Amino acid sequence: MEWLLNTLKNGIYWLRPTATLVIIVFLGLYIFWKECSRSRKNNSSVYDMYIFSVFVGLVVARIAHILMNRAEYFNNIWYWLPYEKYGDTVYLFRLLPWRLVRIWDGGLDLLYLFVGMILVQTLWASVRKKWKWADVFPAIFLSNWAMLALSFLFLGIQWDNGEWVKQGLILFLPFLLFLLLHWILLKFQKPQKRERTRFLLQVIFSIVSLVSILVTYIPLAEIEPLVGLGVAIWILWGVIGTVSHILSSRKMGNVTIEKVSSVRHVSLPDSKKPVRLFRR
């Protein structure tokens, strides 16, 4: 077991931050697609929504990072070429305005990356596609919760940041507990009770995820007001989403089917009877 943990840790050390985020985004895509497939959503629409939300999230995360580190960015010299040359050495994208697009060295705010994603996914599903909120809310909150937790955990290991590792565990351990309970309860539940059990687990752990995010970000929000704004947006989204999810499920539960079909039953001819051919 210790060998496996050391191998995993060394593998995480070897990855660059950009590669780490790419892997995490693809894991989030799998969770998102898996949850959306339960309601038989079109795969193309699901992928389009997710990929577009990733691009918007990256832009929002970069802007938030720049605003939180204004002195680092705007006290530099502006130069119209994207490179500097000193002797035989060339330095790329070190001066403004080119430095603003240098996201591959970890210049992103993780909280705003996923805040941007949840808002875009919500608007895309509710406004553009007009999907039922109960169908997409679990996919949005589960995938982004997992990605936020893994980002803290993996990047904290890479940068030897013990505080980030601790925050990642606070976020990720409840997610693992959700997966474990989901697997156990649904495996031994009767088919007619599985959807109800899944719904209850999703509601309970959406609340748990909001609490874990509060615990993680309260110390950081005291230092940077923009962090507090991001946390407030996420918590407000989560509360509204959870309440809407509960109301949507209650409406679905109150629906009763009075008639199976209004089409009159048509009896087909007996296939065993011989077929007679008439000649005019």
Side-chain angles (χ1 to χ4, degrees):
M1 186 65 179
E2 185 179 353
W3 172 83
L4 180 61
L5 290 174
N6 288 332
T7 303
L8 180 61
K9 188 175 181 179
N10 292 333
I12 294 172
Y13 267 122
W14 177 78
L15 290 171
R16 290 181 63 85
T18 305
T20 302
L21 283 177
V22 169
I23 293 171
I24 290 170
V25 165
F26 274 101
L27 286 173
L29 173 59
Y30 174 76
I31 297 170
F32 188 78
W33 166 80
K34 191 70 175 176
E35 286 299 318
C36 286
S37 65
R38 297 186 192 279
S39 56
R40 295 183 175 87
K41 294 291 181 283
N42 180 269
N43 285 341
S44 296
S45 297
V46 170
Y47 295 145
D48 291 346
M49 174 170 59
Y50 187 86
I51 297 301
F52 183 73
S53 71
V54 170
F55 281 116
V56 174
L58 288 173
V59 173
V60 172
R62 183 61 178 173
I63 292 172
H65 174 78
I66 292 170
L67 292 177
M68 291 181 194
N69 299 274
R70 295 179 292 276
E72 178 185 347
Y73 284 92
F74 294 104
N75 289 339
N76 288 281
I77 300 171
W78 287 68
Y79 194 56
W80 66 279
L81 288 176
Y83 66 89
E84 307 164 77
K85 186 174 182 180
Y86 299 98
D88 295 331
T89 307
V90 175
Y91 299 94
L92 297 174
F93 302 102
R94 293 207 314 174
L95 299 176
L96 288 173
W98 307 103
R99 196 177 181 189
L100 297 179
V101 299
R102 191 184 175 96
I103 66 171
W104 48 86
D105 289 337
L108 298 169
D109 185 82
L110 293 178
L111 175 64
Y112 276 92
L113 170 61
F114 301 114
V115 165
M117 289 182 65
I118 62 175
L119 293 180
V120 170
Q121 290 166 5
T122 299
L123 292 173
W124 187 293
S126 303
V127 178
R128 190 173 187 275
K129 303 300 294 185
K130 301 191 185 311
W131 287 342
K132 291 181 180 178
W133 185 237
D135 294 340
V136 293
F137 175 70
I140 296 175
F141 104 80
L142 281 174
S143 59
N144 286 280
W145 178 21
M147 287 189 291
L148 181 63
L150 289 173
S151 298
F152 267 108
L153 194 57
F154 284 6
L155 295 177
I157 292 172
Q158 285 181 341
W159 295 336
D160 289 321
N161 189 326
E163 191 63 29
W164 274 34
V165 173
K166 178 182 175 182
Q167 291 165 341
L169 289 173
I170 292 173
L171 289 166
F172 192 59
L173 290 178
F175 181 78
L176 287 180
L177 179 60
F178 167 80
L179 294 179
L180 182 62
L181 289 175
H182 188 275
W183 179 77
I184 292 174
L185 293 177
L186 294 185
K187 186 177 181 63
F188 298 103
Q189 277 277 2
K190 294 180 180 179
Q192 58 269 27
K193 292 185 178 180
R194 285 178 183 170
E195 286 305 315
R196 186 66 179 172
T197 302
R198 181 181 287 115
F199 164 74
L200 290 174
L201 282 175
Q202 289 167 350
V203 170
I204 291 170
F205 278 91
S206 65
I207 297 171
V208 171
S209 73
L210 298 179
V211 173
S212 63
I213 289 170
L214 273 176
V215 171
T216 301
Y217 274 102
I218 281 176
L220 300 176
E222 295 174 357
I223 302 172
E224 179 57 60
L226 271 177
V227 173
L229 177 61
V231 172
I233 293 172
W234 192 308
I235 298 301
L236 182 62
W237 171 86
V239 171
I240 294 174
T242 303
V243 172
S244 301
H245 186 48
I246 293 171
L247 294 176
S248 299
S249 296
R250 288 184 63 184
K251 289 178 182 178
M252 291 173 62
N254 291 331
V255 174
T256 57
I257 301 175
E258 296 181 357
K259 296 181 180 180
V260 176
S261 175
S262 59
V263 180
R264 186 177 58 185
H265 176 71
V266 179
S267 59
L268 296 175
D270 191 351
S271 60
K272 295 182 180 180
K273 289 185 179 180
V275 179
R276 296 181 180 181
L277 299 177
F278 295 92
R279 189 193 312 174
R280 289 186 179 181

